[in-house]
Structures are given as C-alpha cells and as structure tokens.
Amino acid sequence: MEAYKQEFIEFMIDCNVLKFGDFVTKSGRKTPFFVNTGFYRTGAQLRRLGQYYAKAIESKFGLDFDVLFGPAYKGIPLTVAATMAISEEYGKDIRYCSNRKEVKDHGDKGILLGSPIQDGDKVVIIEDVTTAGTSIQETLPIIRAQGDVKPVGLVVSVDRMERGQGTKSALKEIEETYGLETTAIVTMAEVVEHLYNKEYKGKIIIDDTLKAAIDAYYEQYGAQ
C-alpha cells in the first residue's frame, strides 16, 4: 500500500472522520463503520484533504480536464480544497463548480456557484463517499444540463466496497451505467489491512471483535 494511503487512513482517524461503532447509512444499511467528511473543520485539515484528493485524481485521471464539480453541500469545500491542491502540487489551474440546492434568482443567478460549465468542458466529480450510488443520479443531470459537456470521472475519499442497487459495487455500477471512470483515495479493504490488530497512538483501532462485525457486514452487503 502506498504511503499516502496509510497517511490518509490515520488522518481520517485523527480528524474523527472515520468512526467505528453502530451507524445507519443514507441508504438505510446498519454499518459498523462510518465516514463523515463533515468533521474536516479547520483550514489545515482541508488543505491536507485537498492534497490527498489531488493525488488520487492525478493518479487516475491525469490533469486533462477542465472542471472539478462538487455536489452541494459537502462537495463544495471538497472541490475548493482539491482545486487549490492541484494548483499547488501540479501547477494546473482547474476550475471549480458546485450546485445550489435552491436556484438563486438575483445577483449571480442560477443553480451553480463557482465557474460556469461550458460546451466542450471535461468534468470530474468529487464526493465524500458513495455507498449505494444514489447521489450520482442527482448530480449528472445538473452537469449535462449545462451544455455539450463530458463527465469523465468520479473520485471519492473512501470506497466502501459494498454493492449498489444490484450485486456489483456502487462504483462499478456507476462506471457501467454512466460510462464514468471511478477512483477512491482508499478502499475499506486497505483501511482494514492497515488497522487490523495494529496499534495506532497506543490503541488497537480494529480488534478481532470489530473485524468480525466488518466481515459480517460484507457478507450481507459486500459487492460480488
């Protein structure tokens, strides 16, 4: 596993973003782990988060795209942080764009904030985490309504590696249904590999009991 992936896993724990316990996902699944990017709350944290996203984006898609789109609301700080990191790390000035939940009828009118999306633009979508692939159904029509644009990919922070609407993973379903390439900074398999029965700051994060709960979750919801 690459060093930056290990660093990112520990970074999520330090920020209280990656949690273990009893949770319910947006799709209604009871889960022993949860990722909440709303707990990135400081400038320093967002700067580092943007750097991890930038690394994942460059590794998968390169930098031959025009706009990074972050769906409201959590995608707004993600797209800002990542475009800043791409500029700093790779010297490429990517435009950022997000949507509003409500259309604005005065001043900077419309449903978008940040850069407009123009005919011919290649767009990469950035999200926090995709569990069942439902949010992309709302995001793509917004992007495609802006003109003759090409959505090329989706990047998330963590691939939960569970099935979407069918038996395949949510990210695989997105690839096949919408023709988008997908990637994640880390997968849950990498999280478990890095933390299982290993001390981090004097504590075992994933012990045998938690590992058994994670395994049971994937027996029920894991992608095939």
Side-chain angles (χ1 to χ4, degrees), residues 138-165:
E138 303 170 0
T139 301
L140 277 176
I142 295 171
I143 294 173
R144 287 176 170 152
Q146 306 310 309
D148 182 18
V149 301
K150 182 182 179 182
V152 297
L154 167 69
V155 58
V156 299
S157 61
V158 180
D159 178 0
R160 290 181 59 101
M161 301 179 65
E162 57 196 82
R163 65 176 185 263
Q165 305 302 314

Side-chain angles (χ1 to χ4, degrees), residues 41-73:
R41 292 174 172 174
T42 72
Q45 290 172 347
L46 285 173
R47 182 185 180 90
R48 284 190 63 188
L49 178 62
Q51 292 169 346
Y52 291 122
Y53 266 113
K55 176 68 174 177
I57 290 167
E58 193 277 334
S59 296
K60 178 67 174 183
F61 306 115
L63 298 173
D64 183 23
F65 66 98
D66 306 290
V67 179
L68 188 63
F69 184 90
Y73 289 102

Side-chain angles (χ1 to χ4, degrees), residues 109-126:
K109 297 182 180 180
I111 196 171
L112 301 182
L113 56 86
S115 171
I117 299 176
Q118 305 164 352
D119 284 349
D121 278 344
K122 298 177 182 177
V123 182
V124 172
I125 302 164
I126 184 171

Side-chain angles (χ1 to χ4, degrees), residues 163-219:
R163 65 176 185 263
Q165 305 302 314
T167 60
K168 297 180 180 180
S169 74
L171 291 184
K172 179 58 70 175
E173 286 183 353
I174 288 169
E175 289 182 347
E176 295 181 354
T177 303
Y178 302 105
L180 289 175
E181 292 188 83
T182 65
T183 193
I185 303 174
V186 294
T187 67
M188 273 307 298
E190 290 170 330
V191 170
V192 173
E193 175 189 341
H194 184 57
L195 296 177
Y196 177 47
N197 275 344
K198 297 175 184 175
E199 278 196 12
Y200 177 63
K201 293 186 175 178
K203 181 180 179 181
I204 299 293
I205 305 294
I206 299 180
D207 58 15
D208 290 338
T209 301
L210 180 54
K211 176 65 161 52
I214 294 172
D215 289 344
Y217 182 77
Y218 280 111
E219 285 181 13

